[in-house]
């Protein structure tokens, strides 16, 4: 029987889909938040399309961050690359040192307005959690398993792809989950440099003093963050279970 938490997540997903398909159903709930004659439902664009663009931006940035961070973690956990660990840590900390707004301000003169500056900011911001978790996963593998792999005559490449990465995957996925949740919220500021994200809805609400717009943009991002966080967490548990079989 599904747990209460599962039922609540399913209800949140259904409400979100209903809002995309039939936003007029929710107008009576939002009407008290707006001034007379002001629209209660965001009418300056398609909310579903904006949500898809928002998710695409987060997906591309997280994928790029994961590829770079995991590659760096693999490099510094090899004997030949161990000396690059301090440098790698400094590189992945760049995103945490500079706020996303500062990265946007530096990137716009070079790449122009639009999605590119936002992707760069999210990429830099997502490196650290993925790198640290990948490093932890690759350096805490069961010694007995690694010794058995060496005893079986597996090469370093075979051990990496057949033993190390599969065993470390649940921990790596935890870092990706953290990166995704951070990026989902941070991506909203991309709309300040003309990126197509749900930040458009929030900014439009702030500019017109329309609390309904602000609430819509904020709640969609929040629901997406919760649903994606829980989905990835469930995948982590499944992978961890398989790793211990």
């Amino acid at each position: 029987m599904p747990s209460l938490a599962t039922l609540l997540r399913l209800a949140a997903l259904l409400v979100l889909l209903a809002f995309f398909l039939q936003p007029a159903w929710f107008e009576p709930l939002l009407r008290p938040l707006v001034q007379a004659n002001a629209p209660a439902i965001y009418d300056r664009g398609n909310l579903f399309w904006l949500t898809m663009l928002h998710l695409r931006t987060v997906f591309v940035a997280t994928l790029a961050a994961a590829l770079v961070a995991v590659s760096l973690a693999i490099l510094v956990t090899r004997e030949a690359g161990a000396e690059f660990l301090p440098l790698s840590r400094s590189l992945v900390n760049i995103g945490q040192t500079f706020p996303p707004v500062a990265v946007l301000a530096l990137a716009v003169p070079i790449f122009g307005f639009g999605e590119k500056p936002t992707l760069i900011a999210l990429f830099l911001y997502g490196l650290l959690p993925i790198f640290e978790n990948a490093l932890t996963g690759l350096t805490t593998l069961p010694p007995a398993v690694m010794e058995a792999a060496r005893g079986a005559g597996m090469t370093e490449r075979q051990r990496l792809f057949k033993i190390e990465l599969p065993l470390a995957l649940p921990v790596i996925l935890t870092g990706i989950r953290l990166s995704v949740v951070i990026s989902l919220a941070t991506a909203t500021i991309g709309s300040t440099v003309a990126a197509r994200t749900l930040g458009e809805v929030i900014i439009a609400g702030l500019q017109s003093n329309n609390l309904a717009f602000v609430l819509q943009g904020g709640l969609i991002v929040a629901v997406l963050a919760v649903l994606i966080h829980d989905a990835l967490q469930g995948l982590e548990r499944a992978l961890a279970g398989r790793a211990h079989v």
Side-chain angles (χ1 to χ4, degrees):
M1 183 177 179
S3 66
L4 177 60
T6 301
L7 292 174
L8 288 174
R9 294 182 192 108
L10 180 59
L13 177 59
L14 292 175
V15 170
L16 184 60
L17 291 175
F19 182 74
F20 288 142
L21 296 173
Q22 295 292 339
W25 292 354
F26 299 84
E27 186 169 358
L29 295 174
L30 298 168
R31 177 58 58 189
L33 300 175
V34 300
Q35 300 172 356
N37 301 320
I41 303 296
Y42 184 70
D43 59 353
R44 303 181 189 181
N46 187 293
L47 274 174
F48 178 76
W49 182 240
L50 277 178
T51 301
M52 292 300 102
L53 292 175
H54 189 103
L55 290 173
R56 184 192 68 178
T57 299
V58 170
F59 174 79
V60 171
T62 304
L63 178 62
L67 289 174
V68 172
V70 173
S71 297
L72 280 176
I74 292 172
L75 172 65
V76 299
T77 53
R78 306 303 100 179
E79 186 176 347
E83 61 184 296
F84 295 105
L85 177 57
L87 176 60
S88 298
R89 275 214 163 99
S90 297
L91 289 174
V92 299
N93 269 295
I94 289 176
Q96 305 296 322
T97 303
F98 291 94
V101 174
V103 176
L104 289 176
L106 293 171
V108 165
I110 302 172
F111 298 99
F113 288 89
E115 189 179 31
K116 287 181 180 179
T118 306
L119 287 172
I120 293 169
L122 297 182
F123 166 76
L124 292 175
Y125 219 55
L127 284 173
L128 182 61
I130 301 175
F131 174 79
E132 290 295 343
N133 277 68
L135 192 62
T136 299
L138 291 170
T139 55
T140 57
L141 298 170
V145 174
M146 297 305 298
E147 194 59 38
R150 292 188 188 93
M154 297 178 71
T155 64
E156 184 173 352
R157 183 183 180 86
Q158 288 174 327
R159 291 198 303 270
L160 173 64
F161 288 102
K162 294 184 178 181
I163 304 295
E164 296 180 53
L165 286 176
L167 288 177
L169 189 56
V171 183
I172 296 172
L173 196 56
T174 299
I176 293 174
R177 170 167 55 86
L178 294 173
S179 179
V180 167
V181 172
I182 291 170
S183 294
L184 278 167
T186 307
T188 56
I189 67 170
S191 292
T192 61
V193 293
R196 301 300 308 278
T197 74
L198 287 165
E200 283 187 23
V201 186
I202 298 172
I203 292 172
L206 293 173
Q207 290 175 338
S208 60
N209 195 28
N210 189 319
L211 292 180
F213 285 4
V214 176
L215 186 63
Q216 285 164 64
L219 282 179
I220 292 173
V221 171
V223 171
L224 288 174
V226 170
L227 293 176
I228 294 174
H229 173 278
D230 289 348
L232 290 175
Q233 196 170 55
L235 181 58
E236 288 168 39
R237 293 195 192 101
L239 291 173
R242 287 181 58 186
H244 288 91
V245 172

